[in-house]
């Protein structure tokens, strides 16, 4: 189960507010790690959150018995960090929110198994948005047994070639 994750953004407040909007949740400042950070609360039974730090924030392990801290680094604009999130919004509502922000979005079918709306936050950070219908597909296919069956089918297909 996922409780929270963090991403960075050029406009942490806006990104946290949009994620919270997609969840029907709330966004607030999140200053413990580094000033200018925001957090989106889903408002669900797990208290799921996404922490959004200023672009380039690096999390640093502190010496001794101290909390990790954040600092701004310089490692470019791209990242492999992404996450999939649920929304109760329709495809049309998600597309409208993305259009309002000027963020690219498109429907994709992952491995022929489940659909996602591939939303590119600020144009360079992918968030996979799953509508209620897509969530049902995801839950039906993204199981350990389902994944192992897909890997076995891929191996069989590779051997047949």
């Amino acid at each position: 189960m996922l409780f929270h994750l963090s991403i960075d953004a050029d406009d942490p407040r806006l990104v946290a507010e949009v994620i919270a909007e997609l969840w029907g949740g709330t966004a607030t400042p999140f200053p413990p790690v580094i000033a200018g950070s925001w957090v989106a609360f889903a408002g669900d039974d797990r208290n799921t959150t996404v922490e959004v730090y200023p672009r380039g924030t690096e999390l640093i392990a502190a010496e001794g018995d101290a909390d990790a801290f954040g600092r701004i680094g310089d490692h470019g604009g791209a990242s492999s960090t992404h996450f999939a999130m649920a929304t109760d919004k329709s495809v049309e509502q998600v597309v409208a929110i993305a259009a309002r922000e000027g963020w690219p979005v498109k429907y994709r079918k992952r491995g022929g198994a489940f659909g996602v709306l591939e939303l590119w936050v600020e144009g360079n950070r992918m968030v996979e948005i799953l509508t209620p219908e897509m969530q049902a597909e995801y839950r039906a296919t993204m199981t350990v047994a389902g994944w192992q069956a897909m890997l076995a089918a891929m191996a069989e297909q590779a051997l047949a070639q």
Side-chain angles (χ1 to χ4, degrees):
M1 123 181 25
L2 178 69
F3 288 108
H4 78 263
L5 60 88
S6 64
I7 62 173
D8 63 348
D10 291 327
D11 189 340
R13 179 180 184 165
L14 176 65
V15 171
E17 287 173 343
V18 170
I19 291 169
E21 179 182 359
L22 289 163
W23 271 335
T26 303
T28 69
F30 189 72
V33 175
I34 193 165
S37 298
W38 277 72
V39 61
F41 288 90
D44 62 3
D45 61 346
R46 288 188 200 128
N47 299 322
T48 307
T49 61
V50 174
E51 301 163 7
V52 187
Y53 301 124
R55 174 85 60 227
T57 298
E58 299 174 331
L59 297 179
I60 307 299
E63 297 278 333
D65 188 25
D67 288 340
F69 61 93
R71 71 174 182 203
I72 301 296
D74 182 21
H75 43 88
S79 172
S80 62
T81 302
H82 77 280
F83 60 96
M85 63 174 272
T87 185
D88 63 357
K89 307 274 188 250
S90 68
V91 169
E92 296 77 18
Q93 289 172 308
V94 173
V95 169
I97 290 168
R100 181 191 71 209
E101 301 305 331
W103 298 346
V105 64
K106 64 183 174 180
Y107 175 82
R108 302 296 303 143
K109 190 83 165 183
R110 297 293 192 228
F114 61 91
V116 301
L117 289 168
E118 201 175 90
L119 175 69
W120 288 88
V121 172
E122 296 182 330
N124 61 15
R125 293 291 192 271
M126 183 179 64
V127 177
E128 295 169 319
I129 310 294
L130 284 74
T131 64
E133 296 80 13
M134 294 171 195
Q135 293 167 46
E137 291 176 334
Y138 184 91
R139 284 191 301 273
T141 60
M142 283 301 295
T143 64
V144 172
W147 191 257
Q148 289 171 334
M150 184 197 71
L151 291 174
M154 289 172 64
E156 274 186 43
Q157 188 177 39
L159 287 174
Q161 293 178 354

